[in-house]
Amino acid sequence: MVTEVLNKTLPQHGYSDIYYLNQVKADSHFGMATTYVSSFSTKRTVKQNQDLFAKAGKKIDKGDANLPYYKEVTVRRSGMGWKVTVSDSIGQEESSYSVK
């Protein structure tokens, strides 16, 4: 369900160049709402990673270019819908939106 929400809404919120969306994982603690977490790469983050490795004299292909730059996405239930928050790989929030 959460993967469907992300696949449908991320492109509508400026992330249409997603290269790969990782498996969504549930993070739940007793007495707290479940948080769903995933990460994804965009064409821009893949390029940043390739440039970084090129500066270091290493060549990598797109399949290996998911680190160190990527986007992290957190999804939580919010009333009858979902709250989606996208952050960069160092934890800086980029955007947040609600989905019904």
Side-chain angles (χ1 to χ4, degrees):
M1 177 71 172
V2 174
T3 302
E4 292 173 28
V5 168
L6 293 174
N7 283 329
K8 182 178 177 183
T9 63
L10 282 170
Q12 297 170 354
H13 291 275
Y15 299 98
S16 59
D17 64 341
I18 292 176
Y19 177 69
Y20 181 77
L21 178 65
N22 290 309
Q23 181 177 357
V24 175
K25 296 180 181 171
D27 182 18
S28 60
H29 299 283
F30 182 74
M32 297 180 70
T34 301
T35 300
Y36 300 91
V37 179
S38 185
S39 61
F40 62 93
S41 296
T42 63
K43 291 177 185 174
R44 181 171 179 241
T45 60
V46 168
K47 175 86 170 97
Q48 285 178 304
N49 293 333
Q50 288 173 327
D51 291 349
L52 181 69
F53 279 92
K55 281 184 183 179
K58 307 267 185 201
K59 181 166 175 36
I60 59 172
D61 63 24
K62 278 189 179 180
D64 296 325
N66 297 324
L67 293 171
Y69 300 110
Y70 59 91
K71 305 292 182 191
E72 184 173 276
V73 61
T74 304
V75 183
R76 291 183 182 93
R77 269 283 186 204
S78 176
M80 297 298 291
W82 302 93
K83 176 161 170 107
V84 179
T85 304
V86 179
S87 304
D88 64 16
S89 55
I90 59 170
Q92 296 290 325
E93 184 177 320
E94 289 186 357
S95 67
S96 183
Y97 59 91
S98 296
V99 179
K100 297 254 181 204

